[in-house]
Amino acid sequence: MDLHENNLYGRKVFFVYPTFDFQNIVIDRLFNMEYEVYILKELSQAKNVLLHYPDSICFINIDSELTPQQWLNFIHSFELDPILSTIFLGIISHINRERDREMFLFNADIPAGFISTASNFDDLTSKFIKILDLNGAKGRRKYIRADCSHDSHSFIKLNVNSNIYDVKIKYISSVGFSADIPLEYDIPLKINMLIRSCIIKLNDKSLTEPATIISINPFKDKVHVVFVFLKAMTYNNKSIIRSYIHERLNAKISDLLKGCIPDSYDYSVAPEIPGMEKENFMLSPNEDFIEDLPVLDEKDMQYTDLF
C-alpha cells in the first residue's frame, strides 16, 4: 500500500504491555484525540488479535514479560505469516539501552522505530501523534465510531413536533450518530433540521443533546439518517460517549478471541526465517513528510456514509 494513498478507515493502533502511567496518560490522550488505540496485555493472544487487522500499527514494550532477545524472536516470527508480516511494528522502552536499540534496528524490520519513553508525557504524546499522523492512523475519518447495531441497550428518543420516537442507533462517534428510521414512523425529516432534544441511551448511561441532520438516504423500508451534535456539547456528555465507544471496541476484540488457540511458542528459541530483506512499509518519525494526508471535512457530504 502506498503510504500517501488515502486510507479511508485508518489503522488500528496496538500497544503491547504498556506501563501503567503510559497507558493512563499517553494512550488515554491518544484515544481522546480520536486515534483508535488498544492495549494488549496477554502475549498469548497478541497474534490472534493482530491477525484480524492487517496493516495495523503495533508498539511493543520490550521492558516487560520477555527479554530483549526473546522479543526479537517474537518480532522475527511475524515474517513467517503473510498477515502478521504486514503489521507496522515499533519498539518502546523506558530503559532505552543502546545495545537493545542497535539489536532491534540492525536485526529486524522496525518501521515505526525504537522509541524511548524516558521523557515527559507531553513530549511523548506529541511524538506518537507525529508517528501516527505520518502513517495515516486516522485515515480520512477524523473520529472513532462504534457499531451499535447489535447492542440492544443503545437507542435514542427523538423529539419531533412534540412526538417521541424510539430509534435504534447504528453507529455513534463523539461528533454524531446514525440511525435507520422505519418508514412507518413517517417522521418529517429534512437536511439541516435541528432536533432540539435527542435523548441518547448507552447501556446504563443517558444524555440529552441537540443534533442536526446532515444526511438522509431512503431505502425500501427505512431511512438512513446521519445526525451531528452541536459544538456546544458538554465535556461530561462527550466523555460518556467516548467511554461507551471504548467499551464497544474492546468488546469486539474480546469476541474475536473466543475459541482462539493461545500462542504457546517458546520465544527463547529463534524461529527459522528465510534470509531475505523486506522493504520498510512505513515512514519513520525522523523522515520528512512528503504531503499532507487529506482529512474529512465535517460538511463533506461525500463521506457521510462513514457513519
Side-chain angles (χ1 to χ4, degrees):
M1 176 183 292
D2 184 346
L3 288 176
H4 301 296
E5 173 184 298
N6 250 329
N7 185 348
L8 184 60
Y9 294 103
R11 294 185 173 95
K12 290 175 173 54
V13 182
F14 296 93
F15 288 88
V16 180
Y17 291 119
T19 62
F20 180 81
D21 288 342
F22 185 90
Q23 172 182 332
N24 290 332
I25 298 177
V26 177
I27 295 178
D28 189 60
R29 287 177 179 177
L30 293 174
F31 184 81
N32 288 333
M33 296 177 72
E34 305 293 338
Y35 295 94
E36 190 173 343
V37 291
Y38 298 86
I39 297 167
L40 299 179
K41 294 183 177 180
E42 294 184 39
L43 181 64
S44 62
Q45 297 292 4
K47 286 183 177 179
N48 286 331
V49 173
L50 294 171
L51 281 167
H52 286 86
Y53 301 109
D55 299 322
S56 59
I57 303 170
C58 179
F59 296 97
I60 300 171
N61 175 21
I62 61 166
D63 300 338
S64 180
E65 298 302 313
L66 302 181
T67 67
Q69 181 60 56
Q70 289 172 329
W71 278 122
L72 182 64
N73 293 340
F74 175 75
I75 291 170
H76 279 165
S77 71
F78 279 46
E79 300 176 34
L80 297 173
D81 186 279
I83 296 178
L84 292 177
S85 62
T86 71
I87 305 299
F88 300 161
L89 293 172
I91 300 297
I92 58 177
S93 174
H94 190 82
I95 299 175
N96 192 30
R97 288 185 290 252
E98 185 60 30
R99 67 175 182 270
D100 292 339
R101 176 185 294 272
E102 292 179 354
M103 180 176 70
F104 283 98
L105 293 179
F106 294 161
N107 296 285
D109 285 329
I110 310 294
F114 190 110
I115 304 156
S116 170
T117 57
S119 180
N120 67 71
F121 291 119
D122 289 341
D123 289 345
L124 278 177
T125 303
S126 297
K127 183 178 293 186
F128 277 95
I129 289 172
K130 181 178 180 181
I131 294 170
L132 298 182
D133 286 349
L134 285 175
N135 293 282
K138 285 188 178 181
R140 292 189 191 178
R141 182 188 293 134
K142 294 164 62 177
Y143 307 99
I144 307 170
R145 70 174 186 175
D147 183 350
C148 311
S149 56
H150 300 294
D151 182 3
S152 60
H153 301 292
S154 65
F155 60 91
I156 187 166
K157 290 181 178 290
L158 297 177
N159 187 340
V160 182
N161 296 334
S162 299
N163 295 314
I164 304 297
Y165 302 90
D166 287 348
V167 178
K168 185 75 182 67
I169 299 174
K170 189 172 184 180
Y171 291 100
I172 190 167
S173 75
S174 63
V175 297
F177 62 94
S178 66
D180 288 333
I181 301 178
L183 286 179
E184 62 194 58
Y185 281 13
D186 195 27
I187 307 176
L189 302 174
K190 59 183 180 180
I191 299 293
N192 294 327
M193 180 178 179
L194 174 64
I195 310 295
R196 296 187 179 279
S197 179
C198 298
I199 302 173
I200 302 170
K201 180 72 173 177
L202 301 172
N203 291 334
D204 61 342
K205 304 288 185 180
S206 64
L207 57 127
T208 302
E209 286 287 340
T212 301
I213 296 174
I214 64 168
S215 174
I216 299 176
N217 292 304
F219 293 91
K220 182 179 180 180
D221 57 349
K222 62 188 177 183
V223 179
H224 183 72
V225 184
V226 178
F227 301 80
V228 171
F229 299 122
L230 302 188
K231 290 185 178 181
M233 174 186 279
T234 66
Y235 176 81
N236 183 63
N237 283 351
K238 192 176 287 285
S239 295
I240 291 173
I241 293 173
R242 282 182 171 150
S243 294
Y244 173 80
I245 292 171
H246 187 265
E247 291 173 5
R248 293 299 302 165
L249 294 178
N250 281 281
K252 183 177 180 180
I253 295 295
S254 297
D255 288 341
L256 291 177
L257 293 175
K258 292 179 179 178
C260 289
I261 300 174
D263 177 10
S264 60
Y265 186 82
D266 179 5
Y267 289 103
S268 64
V269 179
E272 294 184 9
I273 307 295
M276 58 181 292
E277 293 186 0
K278 297 189 303 179
E279 180 182 357
N280 285 353
F281 302 112
M282 185 178 185
L283 291 173
S284 79
N286 297 319
E287 291 183 279
D288 292 333
F289 192 26
I290 299 175
E291 60 182 357
D292 291 332
L293 288 171
V295 296
L296 170 62
D297 189 326
E298 294 178 34
K299 297 182 180 179
D300 188 345
M301 299 302 293
Q302 182 179 359
Y303 298 112
T304 54
D305 63 331
L306 295 183
F307 285 90

